[in-house]
Amino acid sequence: EESHMLVSDPMTLGGDAQPQSHLLLDTYSTFKLALSIRPLSRVSYAADSSCVQSYTCASSIVHITDGSGNGDCCREGNRMPMLAFVNGSTRLWLSMDADGQSQALDRRSYNMLQHCEAGPELPLGAWTNVKIEAKGADQSKGQMNNTSLGGAVQLFLNGTKVCEVPGTGFHKLPSRQGAHVFLGSMVAPLADEHLPADAQVAQLTYGRPASNMFVGVVNSLQGVLSVVIMFPIGWLGDRVNRYTILKWNVLVGAVGASFLFAAVWYVNLPLLFAGICVFTVYQQCISGLLNAVLADNVPKSMRTRAGGNYKIFSALAMSLAPALQVLVALSGLSSNAWTRETFAAMLLPGWALLIGVALAVGSMRAVGSSISDLPNVDEVQPPADSPLRGRSQRLSEAWLEEPVFFFQPSAPPWWPSRPTSSSLRRCWQTV
């Protein structure tokens, strides 16, 4: 997510405060504007004010404009967006231009199309988190009223959607370079008919909303790294005690989990990528060597069943993660803006399962004559009178030389010979 900090410390608007100088900003068609606001008093216009006729009875908080025309309304680019309080109230009022809007709109018509109002008033003297998002329907997390229009501008209070500007459904919204950001009323050279809101604002940021590109980059990184490290892991597992490798791999997983925990807790992108790389090594080492461990300990006649059980439990484990996310969402921790606490609730329980993995791997005993005093199943020879012995004996060369089909024609000298149907019957009787 790309974000620019416009105001960090609390800044007072209106009242006895001096008018704030404007800032310059490059705006985007899809954007996120977030701030914390603390209303100090309600601003009311006089009963005989001309704002009633001009439809400007609102106290301005943040106004982003390209300065064209009168800078306020109603040319495209005059409000990108404008956030204000309703006259005599602390109820938020949001207005936003749309690409392709009529340039001949009067203020009344413009307000009918291009604004929305939040339901509740904001409490005086208390901070409220406000967020304005302009984005497509595919990024709305199901919170957009009319998805057929392709996108909209939405207003959120403390993570809860309170209104949606209906006329911004064009999805492609105005963007400008060097737009003016006014806090409170506009200042010279522009004139403003709105009074400034009597409030404090802090943590005002503007930027692009998060996209799916980051997820694609992470998945691509995991896939490429998996391809690169699988051959070295397999080569090492054939030449070194694979049980020892698995035990050391638990430590690798713990290091990766520590990186990812720190990345989530401190919102650190380099730590996140480092944790993903280390954790990918852990995952590929487990998946690559566990099949070999199964082959060491499971007889040939049962390996397919053991491999199937392994895949079933792997799929079950992977399905628990979405179920955990659903539980977190139902608990109320998840909202339109996922916080550090939300990510921690989704990720930390899974990492705690590493303790169980460590106990399971630590309890394994190595098998194989080259690394242990216990043979693996392929090295164990059954007694001569055992019915299993016939299964492990190789077929005789004469048996293999017989053709597969009764009417099989003669093959060229270089063609490999195949067993006949009679040999297949003998193989079936042996099994």
Side-chain angles (χ1 to χ4, degrees), residues 386-427:
S386 172
L388 296 177
R389 186 171 180 83
R391 299 184 184 180
S392 62
Q393 291 177 331
R394 292 182 175 273
L395 299 177
S396 65
E397 292 296 327
W399 199 16
L400 293 173
E401 289 297 330
E402 299 182 23
V404 175
F405 302 104
F406 295 109
F407 51 86
Q408 180 176 332
S410 59
W414 49 266
W415 191 262
S417 57
R418 301 176 181 176
T420 65
S421 57
S422 60
S423 67
L424 294 177
R425 285 195 298 270
R426 288 195 294 271
C427 181

Side-chain angles (χ1 to χ4, degrees), residues 57-402:
C57 296
S59 54
S60 179
I61 302 169
V62 179
H63 189 169
I64 301 178
T65 176
D66 63 0
S68 60
N70 61 13
D72 178 34
C73 189
C74 300
R75 292 189 179 183
E76 181 182 317
N78 283 167
R79 296 179 178 181
M80 305 182 297
M82 177 182 177
L83 183 67
F85 284 133
V86 175
N87 181 31
S89 168
T90 59
R91 188 169 74 252
L92 286 177
W93 177 92
L94 174 64
S95 181
M96 176 71 196
D97 292 340
D99 186 45
Q101 72 184 41
S102 173
Q103 305 297 298
L105 289 173
D106 56 34
R107 290 181 185 271
R108 180 182 181 184
S109 300
Y110 178 91
N111 287 341
M112 292 177 62
L113 290 173
Q114 303 296 132
H115 102 282
C116 71
E117 297 180 11
E121 287 196 53
L122 303 189
L124 292 174
W127 289 98
T128 302
N129 294 321
V130 179
K131 182 172 65 173
I132 303 168
E133 284 191 326
K135 56 189 177 183
D138 56 336
Q139 299 174 311
S140 66
K141 302 186 179 77
Q143 301 191 54
M144 194 166 289
N145 292 338
N146 192 347
T147 58
S148 64
L149 296 177
V153 175
Q154 301 170 303
L155 176 63
F156 297 85
L157 296 182
N158 294 324
T160 301
K161 177 188 169 184
V162 292
C163 74
E164 178 179 314
V165 180
T168 56
F170 303 98
H171 177 53
K172 184 181 179 183
L173 302 173
S175 61
R176 298 289 188 273
Q177 290 186 339
H180 305 275
V181 182
F182 294 97
L183 302 174
S185 296
M186 295 189 296
V187 296
L190 299 176
D192 199 344
E193 298 184 51
H194 300 93
L195 296 174
D198 187 13
Q200 287 183 316
V201 297
Q203 300 299 312
L204 173 61
T205 61
Y206 181 94
R208 300 178 191 266
S211 68
N212 294 330
M213 181 177 295
F214 176 76
V215 178
V217 170
V218 170
N219 288 337
S220 299
L221 177 63
Q222 286 182 302
V224 171
L225 186 58
S226 298
V227 172
V228 170
I229 65 175
M230 278 306 293
F231 177 78
I233 290 176
W235 180 88
L236 194 63
D238 290 337
R239 288 161 177 78
V240 183
N241 187 336
R242 59 179 64 101
Y243 299 89
T244 302
I245 296 176
L246 285 174
K247 292 175 182 178
W248 282 103
N249 188 52
V250 173
L251 296 179
V252 175
V255 172
S258 300
F259 281 152
L260 292 174
F261 174 82
V264 171
W265 197 254
Y266 296 107
V267 195
N268 188 293
L269 198 58
L271 280 177
L272 180 63
F273 278 104
I276 289 172
C277 291
V278 175
F279 212 77
T280 300
V281 175
Y282 162 78
Q283 289 177 316
Q284 295 305 314
C285 189
I286 284 283
S287 61
L289 296 183
L290 200 56
N291 287 317
V293 170
L294 287 175
D296 288 342
N297 293 271
V298 179
K300 290 182 179 180
S301 60
M302 302 177 64
R303 285 177 186 170
T304 302
R305 177 181 177 183
N309 289 338
Y310 166 54
K311 292 298 182 181
I312 288 173
F313 279 100
S314 296
L316 179 62
M318 287 187 289
S319 66
L320 289 177
L324 179 63
Q325 293 178 352
V326 171
L327 291 177
V328 171
L330 293 177
S331 68
L333 288 174
S334 175
S335 61
N336 180 262
W338 284 11
T339 63
R340 179 180 63 184
E341 290 73 18
T342 303
F343 283 112
M346 289 185 173
L347 298 176
L348 293 184
W351 295 335
L353 295 177
L354 277 175
I355 299 174
V357 175
L359 294 175
V361 172
S363 64
M364 288 183 181
R365 184 171 179 183
V367 297
S369 58
S370 61
I371 59 175
S372 173
D373 56 348
L374 292 177
N376 60 44
V377 293
D378 291 333
E379 295 170 339
V380 176
Q381 296 296 329
D385 57 349
S386 172
L388 296 177
R389 186 171 180 83
R391 299 184 184 180
S392 62
Q393 291 177 331
R394 292 182 175 273
L395 299 177
S396 65
E397 292 296 327
W399 199 16
L400 293 173
E401 289 297 330
E402 299 182 23

